[in-house]
Amino acid sequence: MAKTFDENTADIKNQEKYTLRVREILKSKGRTPKYYITTFGCQQNEADSERLSGTAKNLGYQKAESMEDADLIIFNTCAVREHAELRALSKTGQLKHLKDKNKNLLIGLWGCMVSQEKRVEDIKHKYPYVDFVAGTNMLHRLPEILCDVMENDRRRYYVDELDYSIVEGVPVERNNDVKAYVSIMYGCNNFCTYCIVPHVRGRERSRKKEDILAEVRELVENGYKEITLLGQNVNSYGKTLEEKCDFATLVEEICKIEGDFTLRFMTSHPKDVSDRLIEVIKNNSKVERHFHLPVQSGSTRILSEMNRKYTREGYLETVRKLREAVPDIVLTTDIIVGFPGESAEDFEDTLSLIKEVKYDSVFSFIYSKRPGTPASEMEDFTSDEEKTERMSRLLALHRENITAINASYVGKTVRVLCEQDEDENGFFGGRTSGFKLVKFTSENKDIYGKYVDVKIESFGESLLRGQNI
Ligand code: SAH
Ligand code: SF4
Ligand code: F3S
């Protein structure tokens, strides 16, 4: 059962007593405690980590410069591919010596990887120096968890509550003062057959429109220039709300907020891109000209095995409509290579789709078996060697496309939000409306956080280079 808003408010209020107790315990230690958070995985996890940081600060911790200097270390983990899990586990292994040096150090594993029972068992048995483990929906309960660990001096595992709640009011410490993430929904209901996300993040639920608008308003008032709306499938925003509101309407209303800011969003599921959303993008200059539209495969047969609920033709039609309405839109995508049963012919379909669409970025991943997902039970005849070979062909094709695309920028002037101050080589950094990375020189040095015009002079595979004019 979904909790009511009042119950959720009670949840965060409930943390106040733990916050006071933790503050007292920390004070009694006689030195300023420090925290260090490492984030694995996607932007959603980065946004969650900003809330973990905010909560740690509220408890009296200061940010540590390094792990060696910290009294609280949290790894916010990812489970999307095996590699992400292995990296988190290997880094966890390296923490043992820190615990040996500092007996007061508390170590926690958070998020998607440890929302799986098997991984929690691994941690219990193989990593005895990990003090607490908490799943994705425990975000607001860090004070309670720390209080429990500190007062009772025991290991705690908070993982079994994949509920439907949305808790507002968790303190936040943002990593960036120009760009901000705003989660508009949590969880996922799509159950693509390869994907672990719905299993570790629970069912889809949307934040109320008023809460989102209030957060964006506050960010804009505080000088943030770029807002990125986050969700696993932003296009299905609003389906769980009592007061109905769809994603297109949400975007439209955010654009009405006054101020000099722009809007991005990710990720969009191709099955849910509505004509109205395309209209809203077209009519609102605050929405940046970038659309990340993960296709996963160019073969309708494989798309059906993946449970993606669109065909190759349907996807291409969405691309056509987007480009017709917004000719300068930049498209990027995600692709899985070597999904179980992907034949040589299926893969050729993926290559021909890439050739046709000509993406500015392709994030390609070799399929990784995720225990508990339907695809992990499917028969897979393709060898690892063959999958690697397919991946290199895909990358070579993309390289060809991107060379032509990037060359077409040379001589043009693009608007860039400067989000990296001058580096030791004299280059500032930023992104175009289409999310293309630009490194540039500038005579005016006071441009951090401002929009500037950059004339493009040359390019690499993943960036454009130019001069502020
Ligand atoms: N909700 C987003 C994607 C989240 S995961 C969406 O639907 O687009 C980010 C990307 O990781 C996916 O788009 C997919 O390309 C990739 N991915 C997910 N599960 C994977 C797996 N088991 N193996 C390889 N790549 C995977
Ligand atoms: Fe995973 Fe599919 Fe949900 Fe994206 S839409 S998070 S790929 S199940
Ligand atoms: Fe990874 Fe969880 Fe994001 S599995 S990709 S951190 S939602």
PDB file of all heavy atoms in Angstrom, residues 188-192 194-198 232-233 269 296 308, ligand 2:
ATOM      1  N   CYS A 188      10.881   1.885 -11.068  1.00  0.00           N
ATOM      2  CA  CYS A 188      10.563   1.618 -12.471  1.00  0.00           C
ATOM      3  C   CYS A 188       9.600   0.439 -12.560  1.00  0.00           C
ATOM      4  O   CYS A 188       9.740  -0.531 -11.820  1.00  0.00           O
ATOM      5  CB  CYS A 188      11.848   1.301 -13.239  1.00  0.00           C
ATOM      6  SG  CYS A 188      11.522   0.952 -14.973  1.00  0.00           S
ATOM      7  N   ASN A 189       8.642   0.561 -13.470  1.00  0.00           N
ATOM      8  CA  ASN A 189       7.663  -0.521 -13.655  1.00  0.00           C
ATOM      9  C   ASN A 189       7.835  -1.253 -14.979  1.00  0.00           C
ATOM     10  O   ASN A 189       6.987  -2.045 -15.359  1.00  0.00           O
ATOM     11  CB  ASN A 189       6.236   0.049 -13.649  1.00  0.00           C
ATOM     12  CG  ASN A 189       5.769   0.347 -12.240  1.00  0.00           C
ATOM     13  OD1 ASN A 189       6.473   0.042 -11.278  1.00  0.00           O
ATOM     14  ND2 ASN A 189       4.595   0.936 -12.115  1.00  0.00           N
ATOM     15  N   ASN A 190       8.891  -0.952 -15.700  1.00  0.00           N
ATOM     16  CA  ASN A 190       8.957  -1.471 -17.068  1.00  0.00           C
ATOM     17  C   ASN A 190       9.462  -2.908 -17.179  1.00  0.00           C
ATOM     18  O   ASN A 190       9.143  -3.596 -18.139  1.00  0.00           O
ATOM     19  CB  ASN A 190       9.800  -0.554 -17.945  1.00  0.00           C
ATOM     20  CG  ASN A 190       9.054   0.734 -18.222  1.00  0.00           C
ATOM     21  OD1 ASN A 190       7.859   0.705 -18.525  1.00  0.00           O
ATOM     22  ND2 ASN A 190       9.716   1.847 -18.061  1.00  0.00           N
ATOM     23  N   PHE A 191      10.270  -3.317 -16.246  1.00  0.00           N
ATOM     24  CA  PHE A 191      10.770  -4.697 -16.249  1.00  0.00           C
ATOM     25  C   PHE A 191      11.316  -5.123 -17.611  1.00  0.00           C
ATOM     26  O   PHE A 191      10.877  -6.128 -18.170  1.00  0.00           O
ATOM     27  CB  PHE A 191       9.696  -5.675 -15.764  1.00  0.00           C
ATOM     28  CG  PHE A 191       9.435  -5.560 -14.292  1.00  0.00           C
ATOM     29  CD1 PHE A 191       8.367  -4.801 -13.819  1.00  0.00           C
ATOM     30  CD2 PHE A 191      10.267  -6.179 -13.369  1.00  0.00           C
ATOM     31  CE1 PHE A 191       8.137  -4.671 -12.441  1.00  0.00           C
ATOM     32  CE2 PHE A 191      10.045  -6.054 -12.000  1.00  0.00           C
ATOM     33  CZ  PHE A 191       8.974  -5.306 -11.540  1.00  0.00           C
ATOM     34  N   CYS A 192      12.224  -4.343 -18.164  1.00  0.00           N
ATOM     35  CA  CYS A 192      12.968  -4.828 -19.328  1.00  0.00           C
ATOM     36  C   CYS A 192      13.668  -6.101 -18.850  1.00  0.00           C
ATOM     37  O   CYS A 192      14.160  -6.144 -17.707  1.00  0.00           O
ATOM     38  CB  CYS A 192      13.980  -3.776 -19.768  1.00  0.00           C
ATOM     39  SG  CYS A 192      13.178  -2.203 -20.152  1.00  0.00           S
ATOM     40  N   TYR A 194      16.364  -7.653 -19.153  1.00  0.00           N
ATOM     41  CA  TYR A 194      17.784  -7.718 -18.761  1.00  0.00           C
ATOM     42  C   TYR A 194      18.073  -6.937 -17.494  1.00  0.00           C
ATOM     43  O   TYR A 194      19.157  -7.031 -16.941  1.00  0.00           O
ATOM     44  CB  TYR A 194      18.655  -7.125 -19.899  1.00  0.00           C
ATOM     45  CG  TYR A 194      18.169  -5.769 -20.359  1.00  0.00           C
ATOM     46  CD1 TYR A 194      18.473  -4.617 -19.638  1.00  0.00           C
ATOM     47  CD2 TYR A 194      17.368  -5.639 -21.482  1.00  0.00           C
ATOM     48  CE1 TYR A 194      17.987  -3.386 -20.037  1.00  0.00           C
ATOM     49  CE2 TYR A 194      16.874  -4.408 -21.892  1.00  0.00           C
ATOM     50  CZ  TYR A 194      17.195  -3.282 -21.157  1.00  0.00           C
ATOM     51  OH  TYR A 194      16.701  -2.065 -21.538  1.00  0.00           O
ATOM     52  N   CYS A 195      17.104  -6.139 -17.021  1.00  0.00           N
ATOM     53  CA  CYS A 195      17.448  -5.030 -16.116  1.00  0.00           C
ATOM     54  C   CYS A 195      17.121  -5.314 -14.648  1.00  0.00           C
ATOM     55  O   CYS A 195      16.035  -5.768 -14.297  1.00  0.00           O
ATOM     56  CB  CYS A 195      16.710  -3.775 -16.577  1.00  0.00           C
ATOM     57  SG  CYS A 195      17.170  -2.316 -15.638  1.00  0.00           S
ATOM     58  N   ILE A 196      18.053  -4.938 -13.788  1.00  0.00           N
ATOM     59  CA  ILE A 196      17.903  -5.179 -12.354  1.00  0.00           C
ATOM     60  C   ILE A 196      17.196  -4.002 -11.653  1.00  0.00           C
ATOM     61  O   ILE A 196      16.705  -4.147 -10.535  1.00  0.00           O
ATOM     62  CB  ILE A 196      19.310  -5.423 -11.716  1.00  0.00           C
ATOM     63  CG1 ILE A 196      19.215  -6.085 -10.338  1.00  0.00           C
ATOM     64  CG2 ILE A 196      20.120  -4.140 -11.608  1.00  0.00           C
ATOM     65  CD1 ILE A 196      18.801  -7.505 -10.341  1.00  0.00           C
ATOM     66  N   VAL A 197      17.149  -2.853 -12.333  1.00  0.00           N
ATOM     67  CA  VAL A 197      16.683  -1.629 -11.655  1.00  0.00           C
ATOM     68  C   VAL A 197      15.309  -1.771 -10.980  1.00  0.00           C
ATOM     69  O   VAL A 197      15.162  -1.424  -9.809  1.00  0.00           O
ATOM     70  CB  VAL A 197      16.736  -0.404 -12.607  1.00  0.00           C
ATOM     71  CG1 VAL A 197      16.098   0.826 -11.973  1.00  0.00           C
ATOM     72  CG2 VAL A 197      18.176  -0.105 -12.991  1.00  0.00           C
ATOM     73  N   PRO A 198      14.280  -2.310 -11.674  1.00  0.00           N
ATOM     74  CA  PRO A 198      12.979  -2.421 -10.991  1.00  0.00           C
ATOM     75  C   PRO A 198      13.053  -3.322  -9.750  1.00  0.00           C
ATOM     76  O   PRO A 198      12.275  -3.144  -8.813  1.00  0.00           O
ATOM     77  CB  PRO A 198      12.071  -3.062 -12.050  1.00  0.00           C
ATOM     78  CG  PRO A 198      12.753  -2.812 -13.344  1.00  0.00           C
ATOM     79  CD  PRO A 198      14.219  -2.795 -13.056  1.00  0.00           C
ATOM     80  N   GLN A 232      13.847   7.054 -13.980  1.00  0.00           N
ATOM     81  CA  GLN A 232      14.214   5.946 -14.873  1.00  0.00           C
ATOM     82  C   GLN A 232      13.422   6.022 -16.169  1.00  0.00           C
ATOM     83  O   GLN A 232      13.862   5.539 -17.205  1.00  0.00           O
ATOM     84  CB  GLN A 232      13.986   4.592 -14.202  1.00  0.00           C
ATOM     85  CG  GLN A 232      14.911   4.309 -13.036  1.00  0.00           C
ATOM     86  CD  GLN A 232      16.374   4.369 -13.408  1.00  0.00           C
ATOM     87  OE1 GLN A 232      16.746   4.219 -14.562  1.00  0.00           O
ATOM     88  NE2 GLN A 232      17.218   4.600 -12.419  1.00  0.00           N
ATOM     89  N   ASN A 233      12.241   6.617 -16.111  1.00  0.00           N
ATOM     90  CA  ASN A 233      11.433   6.767 -17.310  1.00  0.00           C
ATOM     91  C   ASN A 233      10.578   8.021 -17.140  1.00  0.00           C
ATOM     92  O   ASN A 233       9.403   7.941 -16.809  1.00  0.00           O
ATOM     93  CB  ASN A 233      10.556   5.524 -17.492  1.00  0.00           C
ATOM     94  CG  ASN A 233       9.629   5.658 -18.678  1.00  0.00           C
ATOM     95  OD1 ASN A 233       9.780   6.557 -19.502  1.00  0.00           O
ATOM     96  ND2 ASN A 233       8.648   4.776 -18.749  1.00  0.00           N
ATOM     97  N   HIS A 269      11.900   6.772 -22.001  1.00  0.00           N
ATOM     98  CA  HIS A 269      11.659   5.471 -22.635  1.00  0.00           C
ATOM     99  C   HIS A 269      10.970   5.729 -23.973  1.00  0.00           C
ATOM    100  O   HIS A 269       9.944   6.424 -24.016  1.00  0.00           O
ATOM    101  CB  HIS A 269      10.785   4.611 -21.735  1.00  0.00           C
ATOM    102  CG  HIS A 269      10.755   3.172 -22.122  1.00  0.00           C
ATOM    103  ND1 HIS A 269      10.353   2.750 -23.376  1.00  0.00           N
ATOM    104  CD2 HIS A 269      11.101   2.050 -21.450  1.00  0.00           C
ATOM    105  CE1 HIS A 269      10.445   1.433 -23.443  1.00  0.00           C
ATOM    106  NE2 HIS A 269      10.904   0.986 -22.281  1.00  0.00           N
ATOM    107  N   GLN A 296      18.587   0.445 -27.224  1.00  0.00           N
ATOM    108  CA  GLN A 296      19.027  -0.894 -26.755  1.00  0.00           C
ATOM    109  C   GLN A 296      19.353  -1.853 -27.890  1.00  0.00           C
ATOM    110  O   GLN A 296      20.339  -2.576 -27.831  1.00  0.00           O
ATOM    111  CB  GLN A 296      18.021  -1.543 -25.785  1.00  0.00           C
ATOM    112  CG  GLN A 296      17.491  -0.658 -24.677  1.00  0.00           C
ATOM    113  CD  GLN A 296      18.543  -0.119 -23.721  1.00  0.00           C
ATOM    114  OE1 GLN A 296      19.718  -0.429 -23.839  1.00  0.00           O
ATOM    115  NE2 GLN A 296      18.141   0.712 -22.786  1.00  0.00           N
ATOM    116  N   ARG A 308      10.781  -4.329 -24.475  1.00  0.00           N
ATOM    117  CA  ARG A 308      10.883  -2.875 -24.583  1.00  0.00           C
ATOM    118  C   ARG A 308       9.583  -2.220 -25.069  1.00  0.00           C
ATOM    119  O   ARG A 308       9.419  -1.005 -25.004  1.00  0.00           O
ATOM    120  CB  ARG A 308      12.050  -2.491 -25.507  1.00  0.00           C
ATOM    121  CG  ARG A 308      13.418  -2.751 -24.908  1.00  0.00           C
ATOM    122  CD  ARG A 308      13.734  -1.830 -23.766  1.00  0.00           C
ATOM    123  NE  ARG A 308      14.072  -0.475 -24.191  1.00  0.00           N
ATOM    124  CZ  ARG A 308      14.378   0.501 -23.351  1.00  0.00           C
ATOM    125  NH1 ARG A 308      14.373   0.304 -22.041  1.00  0.00           N
ATOM    126  NH2 ARG A 308      14.672   1.706 -23.802  1.00  0.00           N
TER     127      ARG A 308
HETATM  128 FE1  SF4 B   2      15.663  -0.839 -16.569  1.00  0.00          FE
HETATM  129 FE2  SF4 B   2      13.935  -0.794 -18.525  1.00  0.00          FE
HETATM  130 FE3  SF4 B   2      13.317   0.368 -16.225  1.00  0.00          FE
HETATM  131 FE4  SF4 B   2      15.162   1.459 -17.786  1.00  0.00          FE
HETATM  132  S1  SF4 B   2      13.001   1.214 -18.296  1.00  0.00           S
HETATM  133  S2  SF4 B   2      15.311   1.120 -15.595  1.00  0.00           S
HETATM  134  S3  SF4 B   2      16.148  -0.318 -18.704  1.00  0.00           S
HETATM  135  S4  SF4 B   2      13.635  -1.810 -16.581  1.00  0.00           S
END
